[in-house]
Amino acid sequence: MPFITVGTENSAPIDLYYEDHGSGKPVVLIHGFPFNGATWEKETTALLNAGYRTITYDRRGNGNSAQPAFGYDYNTFAADLDVLMTELDLNEVTLIGHSMGTGEVVRYLGNYGSRRVSRAVLLSPLQPMLAKAKDNPEGVDLNLFKGFQDAIIKDRFAYLTSFCDAFFNPDQNMGKRVSEEAYRAHWQIGAMASGKATHDSVNAWQEDFRQDLPKINIPVLIVQGDQDRVLPYPVTGQRLGPMMPTANLITLKGAPHGIPWTHADEVNKAVMDFMKQPAKARA
C-alpha cells in the first residue's frame, strides 16, 4: 500500500495512506469525520470514468493511516495535505472536501495559497465558523461539542451509531437513498478511526475559518443539503456562500449531510459541470 510520511511520533513515522489512480488533471478528495477515503467510491468511479487522475487519502488517525496521539487541528491537517501535494508534485488540482474535509481545503488555501490548485469544491461545509462566540452568535453552543466528546469517551461505538443517524437521516432516506448495508459499512469505516482522533477532531470543528476565506482567489463550488443534521445549513453553507465572492452555492432540497453517498448523482453532476467551466482569472 502507498504511504507518505508527514512526521514522526517518538520512534514511529506518521504515515498517510493514499490511493492514486488514473491520469489526466488531478483531483484530490478529502473525506469527512470519522471516515476515510473509502467513502468516496461513488465519486472516484465517476471521476475516473471522466478521465481525471483521482487521489484519495486517509487523514491522520483514520483508516489505514498512522494514528498518532497529536496533530488533530487544521494547521496540521493542512500541512499534511501540503506534504502529499508536494511529494506527488500535483498541479492544476481540483480539491474536493466533504464535511470535515472542507477544513483542509480552506485552511490549505489560506496557509499555502493556490499555486497548485485551480478550483475547489466544498460539500456539506464546516465553514465559516461552527462554534458560537461573541462575534459569531449564529454558531452552535459549545456545550454541544462537549456532549459529543463525553459520548465518544463513554462509548465511541454507540456514538458512531448516533452520528450515522445524523449523517444519513435514515427516517427519511433508509431504503431509498441509503441501504442498511451502506449504513453499516459507514459505521465500520468510522470504527477504524482511533479513539483519540475521533475525540480530538471535535475540537477542530470549532476552529474559525473566517480569516482564510478572503485569501481564496480561485473558483469554489459549495454543495449542501438543506436537511443537514450534522452541520446545519443555516449555520454553514447558507452563510458561507455570500462570504465568498468566487463561490457558487448549490442547495440540495431535502438532502442530509452524507450527500457523497445519498445524492452522489447530483453531486457528481454538479462537480463535473463545475470542472468543465473555464477557469476564472485570479485576483
Side-chain angles (χ1 to χ4, degrees), residues 15-176:
D15 292 334
L16 299 186
Y17 170 75
Y18 71 97
E19 296 190 9
D20 183 356
H21 302 292
S23 59
K25 288 188 176 181
V27 180
V28 176
L29 300 107
I30 310 168
H31 63 83
F33 168 94
F35 303 121
N36 61 52
T39 54
W40 284 116
E41 67 175 75
K42 291 193 174 187
E43 286 69 36
T44 55
T45 298
L47 288 165
L48 286 168
N49 288 341
Y52 292 98
R53 179 182 175 185
T54 305
I55 300 158
T56 63
Y57 70 97
D58 297 350
R59 180 183 294 109
R60 64 167 62 205
N62 295 262
N64 292 308
S65 290
Q67 300 187 347
F70 65 92
Y72 300 103
D73 63 271
Y74 274 109
N75 283 335
T76 302
F77 295 148
D80 289 349
L81 173 58
D82 183 58
V83 173
L84 178 84
M85 299 273 278
T86 302
E87 289 291 318
L88 298 182
D89 194 23
L90 301 177
N91 292 288
E92 295 187 70
V93 176
T94 298
L95 285 179
I96 303 179
H98 174 239
S99 184
M100 190 170 174
T102 63
E104 275 99 336
V105 174
V106 171
R107 184 57 53 79
Y108 174 87
L109 291 170
N111 286 358
Y112 298 94
S114 58
R115 181 175 66 86
R116 293 184 178 273
V117 185
S118 61
R119 48 185 97 228
V121 179
L122 308 176
L123 306 177
S124 308
L126 184 62
Q127 298 74 37
M129 181 180 180
L130 189 61
K132 183 177 289 185
K134 288 183 179 179
D135 65 345
N136 191 50
E138 305 92 337
V140 175
D141 193 276
L142 297 179
N143 287 330
L144 186 63
F145 301 107
K146 183 180 184 301
F148 291 153
Q149 291 185 312
D150 289 346
I152 291 165
I153 291 171
K154 181 179 180 180
D155 188 337
R156 177 167 65 95
F157 304 108
Y159 169 78
L160 278 174
T161 298
S162 66
F163 181 81
C164 286
D165 284 345
F167 189 86
F168 285 120
N169 297 6
D171 56 313
Q172 299 174 348
N173 297 306
M174 187 66 75
K176 300 173 184 176

Side-chain angles (χ1 to χ4, degrees), residues 219-235:
V220 177
L221 173 67
I222 305 167
V223 186
Q224 187 171 19
D226 64 1
Q227 296 300 307
D228 192 326
R229 296 176 185 172
V230 176
L231 300 174
Y233 175 73
V235 178

Side-chain angles (χ1 to χ4, degrees), residues 180-227:
E180 291 185 11
E181 293 81 0
Y183 178 105
R184 291 198 302 269
H186 278 75
W187 186 97
Q188 183 62 46
I189 292 169
M192 294 175 65
S194 75
K196 180 71 170 171
T198 305
H199 176 277
D200 288 5
S201 290
V202 178
N203 293 329
W205 302 353
Q206 302 170 56
E207 293 191 29
D208 186 353
F209 295 92
R210 291 174 295 178
Q211 75 281 1
D212 300 298
L213 301 179
K215 302 174 185 177
I216 298 176
N217 62 351
I218 55 173
V220 177
L221 173 67
I222 305 167
V223 186
Q224 187 171 19
D226 64 1
Q227 296 300 307

